[in-house]
Amino acid sequence: MPNQIRLAIMTGAGGVGKTTLAANLGYEVARLGHKVAIFDLDPQGSLNVACRLNKTPAPKATTAWIYSGFFDGTYTLIPVWEQHVKNLEVFQGGSALFKVMPNLAQAGGSQLLQEALSEYPLTHDLLIFDCPATLEQIPKSALIAATHLLVPLMPDAKAIDGTRVLLDWYAANVQELQLSPPPGFLGFVINNVEDGAEHQRLSKELPPRYEARGYRVFPAIKHYTAFTNAWSEAVPLRVHRSTHPALGPIAAIAEAIQQEIKGGKRGKAKSTRR
């Protein structure tokens, strides 16, 4: 029987291309025939732009509803890119998430996402949690609900330090919350690699560092204006340009997810602090 994979895309720094990766990855997995839902857990609501959705949905139509204390099992899932794929949906995020922050800070608040998915399960093969670029209550709730983590990492000093903080945060929360089993790391992906010397150097140096710790590192994804152009057209990269070179690295992650759905070995979990 297929596994439901709940993939939290997390980062310790902003601007690493997290939402662009989430949207394109969801599309690629859906193309493989799997039913996919992307939960936008980011108050910035960037996924609304990527998919040309309503920028100000009603709070009950957003993921904030899960954290409201009144959730009744209604997931407002909106099909996207239907002319290209039939099994990809989005649960919108946005500014309504700011209003439920006090609920998340209360005892048990971080459990609300996990409890919702347990009490009102979805039939999707893959749920992608597009987390905000912080390490606060919403990412904590995603950590509790997730089966796997994917960490996009931009090859610059700020993002590298943010990833170090993320790994420490992960280990501390796994221990504090006694997550058993903890979500495993599907892997890291060096993302938004530019042509400058520093990016090129770090994009070569970083993978061996993480691989030496037992993490999988997916092929790097370069920074391309095609991603921006695809966003302006509100289509995934493959629709914008079906032979674009960035599709290979994204497809490699999609194939790894497909293996997990089919019952592959769980991603490597780390529980010791660094």
Side-chain angles (χ1 to χ4, degrees):
M1 184 176 179
N3 298 317
Q4 182 183 78
I5 302 304
R6 300 176 185 174
L7 180 68
I9 300 183
M10 291 187 171
T11 176
V16 302
K18 170 183 55 65
T19 299
T20 299
L21 180 61
N24 281 283
L25 188 55
Y27 181 79
E28 292 300 313
V29 175
R31 283 187 71 250
L32 296 174
H34 300 291
K35 191 175 181 182
V36 180
I38 306 175
F39 280 43
D40 187 356
L41 301 181
D42 194 336
Q44 300 300 324
S46 299
L47 197 60
N48 298 339
V49 177
C51 300
R52 198 162 287 170
L53 300 174
N54 181 359
K55 293 182 181 179
T56 56
K60 283 189 177 182
T62 73
T63 52
W65 180 230
I66 291 176
Y67 302 111
S68 67
F70 302 100
F71 185 65
D72 58 1
T74 303
Y75 300 95
T76 305
L77 300 175
I78 302 174
V80 294
W81 299 324
E82 288 182 279
Q83 64 272 45
H84 307 293
V85 72
K86 300 299 181 185
N87 47 357
L88 176 62
E89 298 173 305
V90 167
F91 196 2
Q92 290 184 259
S95 59
L97 284 162
F98 285 122
K99 298 180 180 179
V100 295
M101 293 298 182
N103 296 348
L104 278 156
Q106 293 177 4
S110 296
Q111 306 283 343
L112 289 171
L113 179 58
Q114 168 66 20
E115 290 173 356
L117 292 170
S118 296
E119 187 172 356
Y120 306 104
L122 290 166
T123 60
H124 297 69
D125 300 310
L126 172 65
L127 303 180
I128 295 177
F129 303 143
D130 183 19
C131 299
T134 64
L135 296 176
E136 298 177 350
Q137 294 302 319
I138 291 178
K140 188 174 183 178
S141 76
L143 178 72
I144 293 169
T147 61
H148 297 72
L149 306 183
L150 177 66
V151 181
L153 169 60
M154 195 169 175
D156 64 26
K158 178 182 176 183
I160 292 169
D161 186 62
T163 301
R164 178 189 59 77
V165 173
L166 169 62
L167 290 173
D168 285 347
W169 173 88
Y170 167 85
N173 277 279
V174 165
Q175 183 175 10
E176 175 191 341
L177 299 166
Q178 298 182 342
L179 299 181
S180 181
F185 282 84
L186 183 73
F188 290 73
V189 56
I190 313 301
N191 204 36
N192 269 355
V193 181
E194 298 180 354
D195 291 331
E198 186 71 359
H199 268 220
Q200 292 298 312
R201 179 181 66 81
L202 288 172
S203 66
K204 293 177 181 177
E205 291 181 1
L206 289 173
R209 295 185 195 176
Y210 291 105
E211 289 168 347
R213 301 177 186 177
Y215 296 108
R216 171 165 44 186
V217 180
F218 292 100
I221 301 173
K222 290 183 63 177
H223 171 78
Y224 290 103
T225 56
F227 283 115
T228 304
N229 294 339
W231 265 51
S232 67
E233 296 171 14
V235 297
L237 180 62
R238 187 176 292 277
V239 174
H240 173 69
R241 191 184 305 173
S242 62
T243 58
H244 196 279
L247 291 170
I250 297 172
I253 305 172
E255 289 165 6
I257 292 171
Q258 179 169 245
Q259 290 178 2
E260 298 292 330
I261 292 171
K262 291 181 176 180
K265 293 182 179 180
R266 193 163 180 172
K268 187 174 183 64
K270 293 283 185 177
S271 59
T272 54
R273 300 197 65 172
R274 280 168 180 73

